[in-house]
Amino acid sequence: MDQLLQWLLMPGILISLVFSALFSFKSRRSSDARTRAIFSARMNISMGIMLLFIALVQLFLSGESTLRIVIGAIFLVLGVFNLFAGLRNLSIYSSPRS
């Protein structure tokens, strides 16, 4: 069971890492403020997903030490915060202009 979780979580971490770096690069290279904000929101979403995957690895695939559980919980909270902040910002900046 641990092997299956490892094969599911590790590619998720790597894919979200690539998307996070890609959107960060696009955000920094963009000259338009609205486009920069959209790419930044997508970067936050990708980073939130990556932190959630890392938290799942810490919580389920590691030994049952208190330190790992605390670190996993911190990553879980940060990941959820980044995910929701990115989704909120994406909905704000993707809406058509009035």
Side-chain angles (χ1 to χ4, degrees):
M1 182 66 176
D2 287 344
Q3 197 75 1
L4 176 64
L5 277 175
Q6 184 177 357
W7 282 104
L8 292 175
L9 294 177
M10 290 304 160
I13 292 171
L14 293 176
I15 290 169
S16 60
L17 174 68
V18 168
F19 278 121
S20 181
L22 176 73
F23 291 136
S24 174
F25 179 75
K26 285 185 175 185
S27 171
R28 295 175 199 282
R29 299 289 291 172
S30 177
S31 60
D32 181 35
R34 184 180 175 112
T35 307
R36 187 177 324 126
I38 289 173
F39 283 132
S40 180
R42 289 179 182 170
M43 179 192 65
N44 276 346
I45 292 170
S46 299
M47 194 175 301
I49 292 170
M50 180 180 62
L51 286 170
L52 288 175
F53 279 131
I54 292 171
L56 291 175
V57 166
Q58 288 296 315
L59 292 174
F60 294 126
L61 294 180
S62 300
E64 305 217 353
S65 96
T66 306
L67 182 62
R68 287 192 185 260
I69 292 173
V70 169
I71 290 172
I74 290 171
F75 281 174
L76 188 69
V77 169
L78 287 173
V80 168
F81 177 76
N82 268 337
L83 184 64
F84 284 131
L87 289 172
R88 183 196 57 169
N89 290 341
L90 187 63
S91 69
I92 290 171
Y93 290 111
S94 293
S95 63
R97 294 180 187 177
S98 304

